[in-house]
Amino acid sequence: MSRLLEMRDIWIEGRTDEEWIPIINGVDLTLDKGEVLGLIGESGAGKSTLGLAAMGYTRDGVRISKGSVVFDGIELTTAPARVKRDLLGRRIAYVAQSAAASFNPAHRLIDQHVEAPVVHKVMSREEAMRDGIELYRRLRLPNPEEIGFRYPHQVSGGQLQRAMTAMAMSCRPDLIIFDEPTTALDVTTQIEVLAAIRDIVEQFDTAAIYITHDLAVVAQMADRIKVLLKGDEVEEAPTREMLAHPKEDYTKSLWAVRSFQRPQKPPAPPDATPVIRVDHVTAAYGKVPVLFDVSFDIHAGRTVAVVGESGSGKSTAARVITGLLPPRQGQVFFKGEPLPADYRHRTKDQLRQVQMIYQMADTALNPRKTVGEIIGRPVEFYLGLKGTKKRERVRALLDAIELEPDEFIDRLPGELSGGQKQRIGIARALAAEPEFIICDEVTSALDQLVAEGILRLLARLQDELGLSYMFITHDLATVRAIADEVVVMKDGRVVESGPKDEMFTPPHHPYTDLLLSSVPEMDPDWLTNLLAERGVENIGDAAAGRM
Amino acid sequence: AQAKRGGHFKAGLSGANTSDSWDGRTHSDLFMIASAQGAVFDSLTMVAADGTLVGELAESWEASPDAKVWTFNLRKGVTFHNGKSFGADDVIESLQMHVAEGAKSAAKPIVSAIAEMKKLGEHQVQFTLQSGNADFPYLMSDYHILIYPAGMIEEAIAKGIGTGLYQVESFDPGVRMVAKRYPNHYKGDSAGFFDSIEYIAINDNTARMNALLTGQVHAINRIDFKTEALLKANPAVRIQEVTGNQHYTFAMLTDVPPFNDVNVRRALKYAIKRQEMVDKILLGHGMVGNDHPIGPANQYFAADLPQLEFDPDKSRYYLKQAGLDSLDIDLSASNAAFEGAVDAALLYQASAKECGININVIQEPADGYWSNVWLKKPFCAVYWSGRATEDWMFSTAYEEGAPWNDSQWDSKDSARFQELLKLARAELDSEKRRAMYREMQDILRTDGGVIIPMFANYVQGVSNQIATPEIIGNLWQMDNARMAERWWFA
Amino acid sequence: MGAILKIIAQRLVLGGVTLLVVSLVIFLAVNALPGDFAEAILGQGATPEAIEAIRRDLGLDRPLWERYLVWLARMLQGDLGVSFAQLNFQSNLGGTQLKTVAEQIAPRFANTIFLAGVTAAIAVPVSLMLGVLAALYRGSIFDRAANIFTLTSISSPEFFLAYILILFLAVLNPVFPSLSNIYEGMSFFDRLERTMLPALTLTLVVTAHMMRMTRAAIINLLASPYIEMARLKGLSPMRVIVVHALPNALAPIINVIALNLAYLITGVVVVEVVFVYPGIGQLFVDSVKIRDIPVVQACCLIFAGAYILLNLTADILSILSNPRLRHPK
Amino acid sequence: MSFWATILLSLAAIAVAAWVFRWGGQKLTNNRPFFRDMPFGVAFGYVFGAVALAGVVHLYVLARTLPPAEANKYFFFRLAVEGFIGFSIAAWLFRAAGRRIGTQASRKLFRQMPLTAAFGIMIILAYAFVAIFAGWLAPYGQEEVLGAANVVPGGDPAIGGDPRFPLGTDQIGRDILSRLIYGAQNTVGIAFVTTALAFFLGGSFGFLAATLGGWLDQLLSRFVDVLMAIPALIFALLLMTIATVWAPKLGIPLTVFMVIIIAVIDSTRVFRLARAVGLNIVVMDYIEAAKLRGEGLGYLIFREILPNAYAPLLAEFGLRFCFVFLTIASLSFLGVGIQPPLADWGTMVRDLAQFINFAAFAPQVAVAPLLAAGAIALLTVAVNFVVDWMLQKSSGLKE
Ligand SMILES: Nc1ncnc2c1ncn2[C@@H]1O[C@H](COP(=O)(O)OP(=O)(O)OP(=O)(O)O)[C@@H](O)[C@H]1O
Ligand SMILES: Nc1ncnc2c1ncn2[C@@H]1O[C@H](COP(=O)(O)OP(=O)(O)OP(=O)(O)O)[C@@H](O)[C@H]1O
Ligand SMILES: [Mg+2]
Ligand SMILES: [Mg+2]
């Protein structure tokens, strides 16, 4: 095999406030023709930066300070801009994390597709179009003749991701950089895209760097895996070897994140009054109906996980419970008492009893208030504590969420990490001393390690304070870890519900089954087996059906 | 120098308005006066640059001994710009439009004094007046009284059809007027030397000045006194300055205390520094006033009357005569009265203080000044453009019962004055009139209810490309608004 | 497409209502002006009888609401009425040689549009070009110089810019005439020459705004993933900006252009005064001076109408420039 | 025609020079990336800039060396160049000083500051100083009537000047320099008060509309639409004319009316911004959290929304201030703004503007009106520079 890409001792730095901070510290990377390298690491490890550096490209405010990048004999770090431009798009292509954001909303897909071949004079416009349609067909996009003439917003996320792969292929490059191409997708959609990418890369024998933070995914795609941690290389090995025998501690810990598992609590006695009862609720945004006859109970001290794909109405159910969206029909009961439909009509105490933790900790905390103020407000508002008493209580709460009070109490949200922000959100909810907390995808924006810490914290608090949780998520691993009961939603309806153990043992509702089987596993052959099991056509159909 | 024919004359003039039209009854400011009476239309008579009265559409006129019946012999062979020939009917109809039902003409008082108009022949008309008036031919030179073609006055007003030296080419109200020389004019080679003229409306002082200095126009009116020194230093233009009848006054209502006391009025007359006003408000471009409205442009101007001066002692004396130690009065002023009126009032305030008179200057809003302040507030600043004849001036602003009698001056104040006014009006003997008018000026000077501290000059700028006669008319700005008739390219 | 039509219809109705309220506000404001036409036109000659006579003739003695309703009814029939000045002559003449307000305003408005057009023809391309270049070479000397220059020009009072231009281009170097009294029958080039100084002044005033918006809108987008994608396709920087950034930055740019065009029509009183340009602003100020309510009203309606219409156009163009709305799912 | 021909020819010459420049650069520096990757347009820009700079220097030299009569033509050019250089140096020194003196934070601020922003801050401080100490700085009082009226600016007795009054005196003999200095106090002070009032009005209503939404929002927004559809200057002109009657009747100074009128008209723009900013904040989860907590309207607006809206509002304050300032100047210029005897720059420009016409042979006299107008421009430029920098800082764009 011949060497396609050779990166030697790459040092990259990024600028913040007039200072250059190292991002990549002396990493080597080599790639042969037709080979797929998996690049893995937690968020901020420098994966994207390294992947882009392989194209001789750096983002604004980032520079390659040292090292060489040789692509097929051409030194990219010192090459003239013209030479680099000639390579980009033609011989090296890029597939971005979010296809929805990376397609220009102002142009049709096919126009963006043919741009590279036409500009690089590889093909004429007509040829490129014909070729594009052919690629769409190969990537099993529905209506390949017609779909290119749509605008990006008229195409679903999974399809866009495939269209982007087609676009990267348009000049038949020697190397493609895939930067987390499936991270933004649902598990069910992810399978289709993964299959399509693997297919096409094999067909054209293209070399690729596949960036992801999901080990199970990279296991399906890569021949070799390289692990990054904060800009340093941790280890590199062929896939199967790496999976079987990780050498470094960090790698091992990556393998181990799914370890947290809480035993399921026994179901509540049938005659117990649930803390929250959602009773035949139908709700709509204006004229658009979103929830149809949804009912479920949440009992004291239990965690009910609500799962379902994006847009299935999970958050809407939460809004109905909090009173932000008064339902059309049905009612919500708190400990047997009906709650007024509109939060504005609820008493202070009713408001206090139902608290909420948000998915995006960034927008959930007022960036101009210190941690002390954020947590202190509900303490003062609901419990009437002032002065030192309030401060004591805030410190106690910070202790409870395992943050050092002295260090954090005067910080602004901007000075906290994602996990710390989420903890502050939890503390704010706890400060009201509620009985019931809604957690809306509280871990989905976090890294696995951090997310696990949050889950453990929530579990501990539940045990100590006897809280009830409604836990909204689309991640089945999380459900497995924390739930007592599960409610599966699809298109605004409850498809299936029951205790967790029941739900995870067959027979399932077909939708639940699809959800469960789509979660990637660490086995390198998992995808191959699954595809064989479901049948390739099946996936194409599923894709077509999603339009 | 000998006048030459030719050229396109451009003047930048102020006083234009979007509501301007060729209707002489509405004319009040320079732009339309210069365009209408000064170029496109003619009147029966005209005041020459030296102040004498000459015929325009009238060739000659004679009066009955009591000055009641006036016969005008009209010029023959005159045609309007549309070809219609001029005759007695045109005169009668043009005069009648000022007194027509519902008409709002500033010349209404003049025309309504005519009891009867008679056409004696195709080119002769006879006017019988309500009472004798020796100045009647003068009144016929009023810029409102233009001669239109009979039977088509409406059309003439719409299109600007007159008998004047220039024929309208285009007229854009508030913007521009262009006219070309009417070929067969009865004034022939003696007047109207330009091939064509263009009057451009420039109300903004700076822009007007700029237009002159950059050669975009040949003449402008109303030069700001401030820049005069600089303008003089510029070799390409020259400044014309004439003293006319334009005067600025402070009028008191003589029927309202304390102004009904002649001693108070006298005290006030001695408490003002006239020269300072001329120096500071007019920057020297004017003449001190002597508390009567007759100026150097008038025939019977009494230059020999002793000049009133600032005199605190006399002022205090008269104040004492009035039985007062001090006096507190309000003086209303606004720059709508005249440019610098507020400053003038402040100067008056300062000088009066030295005489124990406290003047409280009230700055009135400019809007509605003439309807809300003038004739209503007991003491206020006023502007008068002056009149061509003494009688005209007096009967407008000093005759008992006249609507614009802004000091409510009547026979209670001076029966002699009102009597003289009537006598002089009907007197045809010039020397007798002179004596009578002198006495009237003196009465106003000593007892009158109007303080007239200054006469303002007309200051205008002319490019050196333009030649003018030696004598420049001082009755109105811009050579009595007749530059199109009298000036030529050097 | 139906959705867009509906939005447009909605905006049009809203614009109409706004116009109506504007007309009421203006009517009240103009009537609250001290004095009235009669007093203003008579000046020193304002005797009570004369004032009464004129007021009666013009219907100024009628109650306020009645006058408004009559005016409104006429206007809805497309009749802007006759100016008081003209009506005043009418009673003099009893005749029919009347110019309606519409006839009076039309040439002035045409002049204003001409000035706005000339200015826009210079300013819009220049500012777009400068904006794109500044975005392309952001941080360079060129960008900074353009920034300083435009900030300075937008910060200066209009009359200052006007006088500076007069100073340099008319007084010190007589390149253009400082008097912009254009009139009917002037040849196009004469007109253009005379309009040059006011147009340049206004260009200086509006360019900054448009250029900075263009630059900011483009730079805003430069951080977006699809621009990175375009770069990674090996496109030239110019192509990236023109083909990929500009179309997505259109909405704010169109808006700021519309705002500035509206300004060119409605906000140029000062420039018209300085250059003696016979535009609608001058007419308006003159008419306010003599309290000629029909003209003032009509001018205000034109101003408000132009503003609303331009904003509406900008809205519609922004909608049309947004493929999400142009091609709904 | 030759004018355009000259321009075309010079452009062509510059194009050729640009090509030579790039080619030469590549050869001489052995293809250094700077020259190697230089697009032609950039090369053109460099040469064009160099030519322009050379032109400036040439004209400046002319201005300094020609006999006075001819140099008159370049007088203002010279003034502009000297002013530019002078201000640049002053700003640079000011920034250098700021980097050395002051607290840790202020020094850091000065280190990051571009020269334009330093210039802006310097000018604003200078104006504040002049405004506060006007009474002490001005040689005469603003209403003091001195002996000589209408002294021509420039101090040249030959054309009617007087060295005691370098900028001349006005109509009734008040010193123009003193009035210029007092103008800082009046104009700036009034503009500041007006802007503050506009912000108070527009900000409160804007946030209220954003938070409450519904019919109140609709009502306020439509009302603002109506006000905005009427051109600001013209509306102000109309209302000021009305106010001229009411002011004396009510015994309230006209200036108070002006402040209120401009503030109300201007608050519509603030309203729009505040509402837009507010709407962006209102959709944040922390607002939802506060609402669900049961917080009142006051707390929402003042404790949750306002602190997050400071940055855009502050920047807008700067821009609005300039706008108000210019509106007041324009109104004064048109004759209905700040009333005498208060000194104010807009009025001064109008009164002195005629002197500009004489710039060709007596350039000194044209300085006075330009100085008044320039005083307005300088402050707005300064404020804009600072605002620009603040916006850039807060938007976090790395450029
Ligand atoms: N333009 C930039 N300027 C300065 N620092 C940057 C810039 N872009 C990225 N960084 C820093 O570089 C580091 C690595 O970023 P990079 O995007 O490569 O991470 P990643 O591994 O791809 O993470 P993710 O999984 O979140 O995409 C981060 O700490 C980030 O803060
Ligand atoms: N404010 C809103 N107005 C109108 N429609 C809305 C609104 N919010 C959500 N929807 C629609 O309601 C449906 C359900 O949305 P919801 O947010 O409950 O989904 P979800 O299951 O929480 O999805 P996700 O996992 O993406 O958060 C979606 O189709 C969404 O487009
Ligand atoms: Mg990344
Ligand atoms: Mg959700």
Side-chain angles (χ1 to χ4, degrees), chain B residues 18-19 21 23 25-26 103-104 154 157-158 173 175-176 200-202 207 210-211 214 216 367 370-371 374 382-383 404, chain C residues 34 39 43-45 54 57 85 88-89 91-93 95-97 108 166 171 177-179 181 183 274 276 278 283 291:
Chain B
T18 38
S19 59
S21 80
D23 188 341
R25 291 171 295 192
T26 64
K104 293 170 277 284
E154 224 175 90
I157 285 179
V175 179
R176 200 176 77 117
I200 301 166
I202 313 179
N210 182 267
T214 53
Q216 296 175 80
D367 287 286
W370 298 114
S371 43
W374 186 54
V382 187
Y383 151 96
W404 289 357
Chain C
E39 287 178 6
Q44 217 170 353
I54 293 188
D57 281 355
N88 197 30
F89 300 145
S91 66
N92 263 344
L93 294 169
T96 48
Q97 304 275 358
R108 296 301 195 96
I166 289 183
V171 174
S178 64
L179 202 59
N181 62 324
Y183 45 84
V274 172
V276 198
L283 180 70
R291 311 282 184 265

Side-chain angles (χ1 to χ4, degrees), chain A residues 18-188:
Chain A
E18 315 290 304
E19 266 179 295
W20 290 93
I21 296 189
I23 298 177
I24 298 288
N25 312 313
V27 173
D28 294 331
L29 186 153
T30 55
L31 197 64
D32 290 333
K33 288 212 166 103
E35 193 189 13
V36 178
L37 172 73
L39 205 52
I40 188 164
E42 62 190 80
S43 180
K47 308 182 294 289
S48 303
T49 310
L50 189 61
L52 289 170
M55 308 177 73
Y57 176 90
T58 51
R59 293 187 164 141
D60 286 344
V62 177
R63 66 176 183 198
I64 300 177
S65 55
K66 209 174 125 204
S68 83
V69 179
V70 180
F71 174 83
D72 205 17
I74 306 166
E75 172 61 58
L76 292 182
T77 48
T78 55
R82 232 170 316 123
V83 173
K84 275 201 280 191
R85 279 213 295 273
D86 183 51
L87 285 179
L88 289 179
R90 189 167 67 87
R91 299 198 58 199
I92 314 177
Y94 182 73
V95 175
Q97 170 163 0
S98 164
S102 299
F103 267 114
N104 191 328
H107 302 295
R108 296 170 197 273
L109 293 182
I110 195 78
D111 290 336
Q112 302 189 49
H113 181 99
V114 302
E115 194 173 14
V118 170
V119 167
H120 290 298
K121 305 207 171 61
V122 176
M123 290 178 230
S124 74
R125 212 185 135 76
E126 287 69 36
E127 281 170 336
M129 275 189 157
R130 241 175 290 129
D131 184 60
I133 292 170
E134 182 52 35
L135 281 172
Y136 290 156
R137 198 187 317 276
R138 286 197 191 198
L139 283 162
R140 290 193 292 278
L141 281 163
N143 303 331
E145 281 83 16
E146 177 265 336
I147 195 164
F149 294 91
R150 296 195 201 164
Y151 283 86
H153 69 272
Q154 295 171 307
V155 178
S156 79
Q159 292 166 355
L160 271 184
Q161 205 57 267
R162 276 182 275 168
M164 174 149 293
T165 309
M167 185 160 83
M169 275 295 170
S170 62
C171 294
R172 302 294 184 280
D174 302 310
L175 171 63
I176 302 185
I177 317 287
F178 291 98
D179 192 350
E180 316 206 24
T182 60
T183 307
L185 302 177
D186 272 318
V187 271
T188 45

